[in-house]
Amino acid sequence: MSDLPLPPGSTLGVLGGGQLGRMISQAASRLGFDVVILDPEADSPAGRVSAAQIVAGYDDPDALTRLGRLCDVVTFEFENVPAASIERLAEAGALVAPGPTALRVAQDRVDEKTFLNAVGATTVDFAVVDTLSDLDEAVAVIGLPALLKTRREGYDGKGQVWIRDAAETAAAFEAISGRPAILEAAAAFTRELSVIAARDRDGAVAVYPLGENRHANGVLKITLAPAEVSAAGQARAHEIAEAILDGLDYVGVLGVELFELADGTLLVNEIAPRVHNTGHWTQDGCVCDQFEQHVRAVVGWPLGPTAAHARVEMTNLLGDEVEAWRDLASDPAVRLHLYGKAEARPGRKMAHVNRVLGSA
């Protein structure tokens, strides 16, 4: 195991070669680190800006062994990396951050909500659903409307269906192919907020200002940050983030999605044990963005400052929206972040733009 803090010239491994891995790699290179990507897709967006890429599945034992030997520390860019892969790396002596506990919790929505409530981060009411009978019973207890989600996988609105009438339960269960699921009560929220926070290896926590999120067709479209939030709301979000980070003994950056109710109460929707789409605004709104912060945490460096110096509107570019890059590049208030993806499929995240709205 490497001594910490890791000096420049050390090597960081990243499981995942998408846009988040790409931006982690770019941040790491600014700090003088080499990066090795492991991803099953050859010529991945992250691989093309890194020192090397291992082309293999995330559960390939030989590839994991090679990654562990090449790298001084290993992290990941998305939460569907098998927790067993992280455990394998750790058991082989590799330094890994975040650890497998965070992955295991975040990969199962029942485990996630159970954990959140245990650390004092309140969620909506929920029930475990394994059978259609379970679903009917859950609807009777929780009430309608309610949201049925698969326990595992699913993102950007996938793997979930709203139930608004008790007669819809069978169709809803069929829509998720009868997979193990969770039924969540509807949250009467006024807006969705998110908080990006980091924890280092000594337990110090740094929290960014909240962002306000707006979705289209189940996919994040816009984040406005810093959001207009009361001092009490900001303090409560900080408290929630710190409780989650400490409860997971977490190292790195984590995203927490929140529902704000009419009375200001904050409920946790879900957590993401990684850098997060709603934190992209920090690239142009903060001295130390979320990607550099994540690298700092996992290599044992001090956490960077989180205060905002600018107000930013982050907009995801989906599918062929990226074709507007020429016009966007000519706008002096916009900074364009392209992901290097070859195919602009409908709904696919191809880039984002940060529009600077003024000083914070």
Side-chain angles (χ1 to χ4, degrees):
M1 184 174 289
S2 304
D3 293 330
L4 296 173
L6 295 178
S10 302
T11 301
L12 169 67
V14 181
L15 290 164
Q19 67 263 23
L20 299 179
R22 182 183 178 97
M23 289 182 277
I24 290 171
S25 182
Q26 290 168 325
S29 69
R30 289 199 307 272
L31 299 182
F33 295 98
D34 291 329
V35 178
V36 177
I37 302 296
L38 191 156
D39 191 277
E41 178 187 336
D43 198 36
S44 69
R48 292 202 304 277
V49 300
S50 301
Q53 178 180 340
I54 299 170
V55 180
Y58 301 123
D59 57 354
D60 185 313
D62 293 335
L64 291 169
T65 298
R66 184 181 172 201
L67 184 71
R69 288 174 177 169
L70 285 172
C71 301
D72 298 288
V73 64
V74 178
T75 189
F76 49 85
E77 68 143 7
F78 72 118
E79 61 267 46
N80 287 327
V81 169
S85 296
I86 302 300
E87 291 168 351
R88 184 183 184 93
L89 284 164
E91 288 167 359
L95 190 62
V96 182
T101 300
L103 272 182
R104 285 197 302 270
V105 168
Q107 286 176 351
D108 186 299
R109 290 187 170 93
V110 172
D111 291 347
E112 179 184 58
K113 281 189 164 48
T114 301
F115 162 79
L116 288 168
N117 283 283
V119 298
T122 310
T123 69
V124 296
D125 292 336
F126 65 96
V128 179
V129 174
D130 290 320
T131 66
L132 179 57
S133 177
D134 290 340
L135 179 56
D136 289 331
E137 292 176 12
V139 164
V141 173
I142 288 178
L144 295 175
L147 186 58
L148 181 67
K149 297 180 178 179
T150 55
R151 284 183 65 156
R152 301 180 68 85
E153 300 178 339
Y155 60 94
D156 288 344
K158 299 178 177 66
Q160 61 186 50
V161 59
W162 279 99
I163 301 175
R164 305 186 191 283
D165 187 283
E168 299 171 357
T169 57
F173 197 57
E174 183 179 350
I176 63 166
S177 302
R179 295 163 64 189
I182 181 173
L183 187 71
E184 299 178 0
F189 63 95
T190 57
R191 59 177 175 167
E192 182 187 288
L193 301 169
S194 59
V195 59
I196 306 299
R199 184 176 182 270
D200 69 14
R201 294 182 180 276
D202 295 322
V205 172
V207 182
Y208 288 94
L210 275 71
E212 179 177 338
N213 307 315
R214 298 172 186 175
H215 292 75
N217 299 317
V219 180
L220 177 71
K221 188 60 182 173
I222 292 172
T223 293
L224 295 164
E228 293 186 9
V229 181
S230 68
Q234 181 75 42
R236 176 56 182 153
H238 188 132
E239 183 181 61
I240 288 169
E242 188 161 2
I244 294 168
L245 291 166
D246 288 344
L248 294 172
D249 193 21
Y250 195 88
V251 174
V253 164
L254 175 138
V256 184
E257 296 179 6
L258 302 162
F259 293 139
E260 183 183 52
L261 307 187
D263 63 359
T265 297
L266 296 178
L267 302 179
V268 179
N269 178 28
E270 61 184 24
I271 61 175
R274 55 173 170 80
V275 289
H276 197 251
N277 197 167
T278 64
H280 291 352
W281 71 272
T282 61
Q283 291 173 300
D284 299 292
C286 301
V287 170
C288 178
D289 66 42
Q290 66 164 342
F291 301 100
E292 178 179 329
Q293 192 78 288
H294 186 71
V295 174
R296 283 172 169 264
V298 301
V299 302
W301 284 25
L303 297 179
T306 55
H309 60 70
R311 293 181 296 114
V312 176
E313 179 182 271
M314 188 286 302
T315 303
N316 278 327
L317 300 184
L318 308 176
D320 60 8
E321 290 175 346
V322 74
E323 298 303 329
W325 62 267
R326 295 176 183 82
D327 293 335
L328 292 166
S330 68
D331 187 336
V334 161
R335 190 173 181 200
L336 179 60
H337 299 263
L338 293 158
Y339 300 157
K341 295 180 179 179
E343 184 182 359
R345 296 192 299 269
R348 190 183 194 193
K349 293 175 182 174
M350 299 298 296
H352 68 270
V353 294
N354 283 334
R355 182 177 296 276
V356 177
L357 304 177
S359 57

